[in-house]
Amino acid sequence: MKEWWVQVGLLSVPLLAVYLHIPPPKLSPALLSWRSSGGYFTYKDQNIFYRDSNGAVGSSDIVVLLHGFPTSSYDWCKIWEGLTQRFHRVIALDFVGFGFSDKPRPHHYSIFEQASIVEGLVRHLGLHHQRINLLSHDYGVTVAQELLHRSLQPLMLWLLFTFLSCTLTQLLPCCSELFFPGLAQSSDPTRSLRRQSTGICGQRCGPMMAISILQYINQRKKHRDRWVGALMSTSVPLHLIYGPLDPVNPHPEFLQLYKKVLPMSTVSVLDDHISHYPQLEDPTGFLNAYLNFINSF
C-alpha cells in the first residue's frame, strides 16, 4: 500500500487543477463602482490600487485608512462619505496581495513592505510633508505600528510624513495574545485561510498565497517589542475603537489590559452586539466615535 502522503498528493493534483480553472466570481455593481472611483500607482513594479477623495472645503486634514485581513479598502465603504464631510482628503489603498492590487506569486509578503507601500503612496500623492491621521483595522493596525516605529527614528524622518493621530480598531487575530500573553482565546490562523479562496476583487488568490500572507502572524511574534513599543513610546494621540463582542479580543479582559499597557490612549466602546468589523456592523456609531476623537484635539 502506498504511503498516505503519496495518495493525498495524487488526489490533490487533479483537485488543484480543477480549482485553478474555476472562473472567479463576477464583481458586484458596488465593487465595480469602488474600483472605477480609484486608481493605481506603481511600487517596485507592483500595481497598487488606491482611492483618494477630496472632501470638506476649508479643512486641511488628511486621513489614510489601512484595511485588515483578508479583505480590502472596500471595508471603509460605509463610512467613506461621512469622512469626506470632515476631512480635506480621504485616502485608502489595497495592500499588495489584497483587493484590486497585484498579487505576485511567489512573493515574500511582509508588514515592512506594506508600510513602505503606504509611504510610497503618500509620496506619490505629494503629501509626504503633511501631517496625516491614520485609521487602521486588524492587519492594518500592525502596518500602522510599523509606521509609528519609523517615525520615532530620527535618521529616518526625512523619508516620512508625520502623524497627527493614530486610531486602532479591532486588533488583528493573535494581537491580543501578543499584547497580553495568555489572554486571547485559542485562535486558529487557518480559519482565515479557509475563508479566503477568492480575493475580494474577484481574482482567485488560492491557499498557498494566503499562507504566504499569513506569515504576518510570525512577524508579529518576532517583532513584538518593536511594534508594541511603538505604541508605548509615541507622542501621537492614540485612540481605540472597540466592539465588545469581538471573539479575538475578549471583553472586558482585553480592554482592561489595553488601558493598563497604553494609559495614554483614549477608548471608544461601541454597543454590546458589535464585533470584529465595527465600521461595517455599526458605521454610524463607528464614525461618531472616530470624529469625536478627531475633534477633541
Side-chain angles (χ1 to χ4, degrees), residues 179-198:
F179 262 77
F180 318 114
L183 170 63
Q185 297 176 352
S186 175
S187 65
D188 174 11
T190 64
R191 178 176 57 186
S192 294
L193 169 59
R194 291 194 295 268
R195 289 185 299 170
Q196 183 177 337
S197 61
T198 303

Side-chain angles (χ1 to χ4, degrees), residues 41-52:
F41 83 103
T42 301
Y43 176 83
K44 294 186 177 180
D45 298 325
Q46 299 163 359
N47 293 315
I48 304 298
F49 175 82
Y50 71 95
R51 286 195 67 183
D52 175 16

